[in-house]
Amino acid sequence: MRPLVLSPDNVPVITDEKEAARDVALAVFSAMTHGRGTGAAAILEPLAAALETVEPETAVVFAELVEACLVDAQAQEIWRNLMAPVNYFFKNPVAEKVRDEGREEGREEGREEERAAMVLRILEWRGIAVSEAVRERVTGCADLGLLETWAQRAVHASAAEELFVGSGPVGEALT
């Protein structure tokens, strides 16, 4: 088995609308590997036009794949502007659901990170030393309830390790 690795060295730069329409998938790869900086528009504009030549469901997948792979802020803005007038891109129910799930997952992760940071800040405010092992266990915890328990314990603890009294080795409360 040999993996196929795509890179700017082995993916052609596609800037012609007809060429992009002939092989939309290759034009997508071209945009993903070369679509950055001042030359991004020359690659993204033909691709946007080529997406109109494929089935809407396929176009949605390709458009979102390109959007997810563009790391350059200028290219991201160009792509959003090109996709804004395309109704299927923003109104596709599957795409909307995926975006909503991603937003919720991001909010949940943000709550976990903030709660873990709060536990560590409480210990810091109280002048309690926090070992790397304690820091890793707290920041690695994805259980909001357990993080809340640890925050409450941090208010009264005399040592950081006291956060875990009554907690299992993977951070689950023992009964």
Side-chain angles (χ1 to χ4, degrees):
M1 180 193 263
R2 289 180 18 166
L4 175 63
V5 178
L6 300 175
S7 74
D9 295 333
N10 63 6
V11 175
V13 176
I14 298 179
T15 57
D16 179 69
E17 192 174 315
K18 289 180 183 174
E19 185 179 357
R22 267 194 308 274
D23 192 342
V24 179
L26 185 59
V28 167
F29 287 126
S30 177
M32 290 166 45
T33 56
H34 301 288
R36 63 180 63 76
T38 55
I43 296 168
L44 297 174
E45 288 172 0
L47 174 58
L51 288 179
E52 295 178 20
T53 68
V54 298
E55 293 292 319
E57 295 80 15
T58 302
V60 167
V61 172
F62 283 157
E64 290 190 346
L65 183 60
V66 169
E67 181 179 7
C69 290
L70 292 175
V71 294
D72 180 275
Q74 184 177 9
Q76 290 171 347
E77 183 177 349
I78 291 167
W79 189 245
R80 281 189 209 105
N81 290 338
L82 288 168
M83 293 293 102
V86 182
N87 288 332
Y88 63 76
F89 181 70
F90 290 106
K91 293 184 179 177
N92 181 282
V94 173
E96 289 176 8
K97 182 179 180 199
V98 168
R99 280 192 291 273
D100 290 344
E101 288 172 357
R103 282 187 205 106
E104 182 56 36
E105 184 177 308
R107 281 192 289 271
E108 185 72 18
E109 288 174 10
R111 285 190 288 269
E112 293 163 1
E113 289 171 6
E114 182 54 37
R115 185 107 15 116
M118 179 56 70
V119 170
L120 297 173
R121 277 196 303 270
I122 292 169
L123 293 171
E124 178 185 308
W125 292 334
R126 298 193 57 236
I128 297 174
V130 178
S131 69
E132 191 58 34
V134 169
R135 184 174 305 281
E136 286 178 14
R137 185 165 176 187
V138 170
T139 58
C141 182
D143 181 334
L144 286 170
L146 186 57
L147 287 166
E148 178 67 26
T149 298
W150 290 348
Q152 292 170 4
R153 290 178 184 171
V155 172
H156 302 289
S158 56
E161 291 74 15
E162 291 178 22
L163 297 177
F164 312 125
V165 173
S167 296
V170 294
E172 294 181 8
L174 297 174
T175 55

